[in-house]
Amino acid sequence: MIIKTVKWLCLLAFLGLILFLVLGPAVVEKSMNVVEEHEPYPISEAAAALHASLVVGDWHADSPLWKRRLHKRSKRGHVDLPRLQEGNVMLQMFTTVTKSPSGQNYERNEASAKDNITTLAMVQLWPKKTWKSLTERALYQAGKIHKLAERKPDDFKLITSQAELAALVEQRKSNPTLVGGLIGTEGSHALDGKLENIQRLYDKGFRMMSLHHFFDNKLGASLHGTSQTGLTEFGREAVRKMWDLDIIIDVSHSSEQVVKEVLAMTGKPLVVSHTGFKGHCDSPRNISDDLMQQIAAQRGLIAVGYWDGAICGNSPQTVAEAINYGIQLVGADHVALGSDFDGTVTTSFDTSELAAITQALMDIDVPEGQIRKVMGGNMLRLLQENLPAE
């Protein structure tokens, strides 16, 4: 009798584990990538027509982190291919998250804190080699974007060069729902401390690399870390190697001293892929307005996010207000979109509803030419000028 009971208990435990592995990832993501319930946003005929004519581009979405099929419309999260098409998105940078400290916050995080992504990788049944290697985690997530391009070649193209970008622009004339995807890192701890992994990631299609996430790493200090120092010598070597390969450098999450030192190293433009402006939203998530002006002076781009921690709100109206503040601060040529969709943020819209931002910009009298630039024209231009030629 005891043996029979033990067998039943083991069977129930096994079935419970299977149920958790099947349903757990969806439950976790649904609680973290939230779209608040809302009525459909009213879009005027003029705004709809303008939005349909725009190049729309987003510098930052963490969609490859999650266990769902990006080629199908999902009931959770913010981004998938059908919703990108509905939102008239031409260019989407997909970023790969490889480490996230337990208790993550904007003020101070220890690099030694327990890592949330290790647990997520195990629960989502990622390959075992990703459990310990951050580089393998980045490569695994990048593989999802490659598979999306292979599965949906008439709807999605992976962009790694100026030539491929030019082809995308031409193809969209006859196929206006074609989406171009790019791959970037969320922090260069993804290198596993090895310079040679820059080349390895480049060969897998990575064309943007951010230096930091929420904690200090071998390259130097995070804006949310413990040291608030600048680049290490390894960090300087990594920056030089990235630029040698025409990899765009993203300084979102980097300390202000790191940003200043990277700016001083070269005249190449930097990207802040998802952020707000300190003068508009006085959040520890945002670097100073003065530093934003320095980035713009070096032909860089500041991409505005859609969540409360960056812009002190999450409505299309608040996004438009943050964009307009940025235009007044650094000029329309240096502002872009950087949603942080699928990055464990709460928003009031998903990527299918981006026309609501166009409408909100029109409502506060941002000129059409400036709307065209910030919604994606600036992103297209920077990529045309800075991606590898072939």
Side-chain angles (χ1 to χ4, degrees):
M1 182 66 180
I2 293 176
I3 295 175
K4 189 175 182 180
T5 300
V6 170
K7 287 182 177 179
W8 273 108
L9 289 174
C10 290
L11 178 60
L12 288 172
F14 177 74
L15 292 175
L17 176 62
I18 296 299
L19 189 64
F20 173 75
L21 293 174
V22 171
L23 300 180
V27 172
V28 169
E29 189 194 354
K30 196 168 184 178
S31 70
M32 302 185 82
N33 295 324
V34 178
V35 181
E36 294 176 340
E37 291 189 17
H38 59 278
E39 294 296 322
Y41 293 103
I43 308 296
S44 68
E45 290 185 8
L50 174 57
H51 189 78
S53 72
L54 298 176
V55 169
V56 179
D58 176 13
W59 279 102
H60 197 101
D62 295 327
S63 313
L65 179 62
W66 307 100
K67 189 176 182 178
R68 55 185 157 89
R69 298 174 180 177
L70 293 176
H71 68 285
K72 291 186 176 182
R73 187 182 181 95
S74 177
K75 294 182 180 179
R76 63 181 189 270
H78 302 113
V79 175
D80 48 49
L81 180 56
R83 284 184 282 181
L84 287 168
Q85 292 175 313
E86 290 173 27
N88 190 36
V89 177
M90 174 181 170
L91 295 165
Q92 179 63 63
M93 179 71 73
F94 289 101
T95 38
T96 57
V97 181
T98 54
K99 185 177 178 181
S100 173
S102 179
Q104 178 177 297
N105 63 85
Y106 291 146
E107 285 80 19
R108 181 184 174 89
N109 299 273
E110 297 283 351
S112 59
K114 181 181 177 182
D115 173 38
N116 294 323
I117 305 304
T118 300
T119 303
L120 188 64
M122 292 178 176
V123 170
Q124 294 190 144
L125 300 180
W126 289 10
K128 191 173 182 180
K129 61 185 177 181
T130 68
W131 297 2
K132 293 185 178 181
S133 168
L134 306 188
T135 302
E136 291 295 343
R137 291 178 191 179
L139 292 170
Y140 176 72
Q141 291 174 66
K144 296 182 182 183
I145 306 306
H146 283 269
K147 289 177 182 177
L148 180 59
E150 293 165 4
R151 181 186 286 269
K152 291 288 185 178
D154 295 330
D155 297 298
F156 184 85
K157 300 287 185 183
L158 178 63
I159 305 300
T160 64
S161 68
Q162 294 179 29
E164 290 173 346
L165 183 58
L168 173 72
V169 172
E170 185 63 29
Q171 289 168 339
R172 274 182 62 92
K173 294 177 181 177
S174 58
N175 184 8
T177 61
L178 181 63
V179 177
L182 300 102
I183 305 173
T185 65
E186 178 87 90
S188 285
H189 45 277
L191 300 178
D192 276 340
K194 299 176 182 178
L195 287 174
E196 56 265 32
N197 281 331
I198 297 174
Q199 182 70 56
R200 192 175 173 201
L201 293 177
Y202 177 89
D203 291 343
K204 191 66 173 181
F206 284 78
R207 293 298 180 266
M208 183 178 78
M209 292 187 182
S210 76
L211 304 181
H212 300 93
H213 198 203
F214 275 88
F215 50 91
D216 299 345
N217 62 26
K218 190 174 179 179
L219 286 82
S222 164
L223 184 63
H224 326 289
T226 59
S227 70
Q228 294 304 308
T229 55
L231 288 167
T232 62
E233 184 52 40
F234 177 84
R236 291 179 179 276
E237 292 177 8
V239 166
R240 286 190 286 265
K241 177 67 173 177
M242 291 171 190
W243 272 327
D244 285 345
L245 291 171
D246 290 325
I247 294 171
I248 295 164
I249 291 183
D250 172 14
V251 292
S252 55
H253 294 295
S254 291
S255 73
E256 293 204 352
Q257 186 60 33
V258 164
V259 178
K260 291 173 185 176
E261 292 180 10
V262 176
L263 281 169
M265 286 180 66
T266 181
K268 287 196 175 186
L270 304 181
V271 170
V272 190
S273 71
H274 56 310
T275 189
F277 293 94
K278 192 84 168 178
H280 170 259
C281 177
D282 189 11
S283 165
R285 174 62 179 80
N286 300 328
I287 60 176
S288 69
D289 282 6
D290 177 70
L291 200 46
M292 292 296 201
Q293 289 174 319
Q294 293 179 49
I295 292 169
Q298 203 156 293
R299 307 185 322 281
L301 279 184
I302 295 96
V304 174
Y306 305 163
W307 78 102
D308 184 71
I311 61 171
C312 295
N314 66 7
S315 68
Q317 291 74 26
T318 312
V319 175
E321 290 165 2
I323 288 171
N324 194 42
Y325 179 90
I327 290 172
Q328 306 310 313
L329 180 71
V330 300
D333 289 336
H334 304 287
V335 182
L337 303 180
S339 65
D340 202 20
F341 275 153
D342 291 330
T344 67
V345 295
T346 296
T347 67
S348 66
F349 57 94
D350 66 19
T351 199
S352 70
E353 301 172 283
L354 294 185
I357 298 179
T358 301
Q359 179 70 68
L361 290 167
M362 294 176 66
D363 289 344
I364 58 174
D365 298 321
V366 176
E368 179 181 319
Q370 294 184 358
I371 293 174
R372 290 187 178 279
K373 289 179 179 182
V374 301
M375 290 296 289
N378 288 337
M379 181 176 183
L380 175 61
R381 170 179 50 79
L382 190 141
L383 291 171
Q384 287 172 326
E385 295 173 353
N386 292 279
L387 284 175
E390 301 291 340

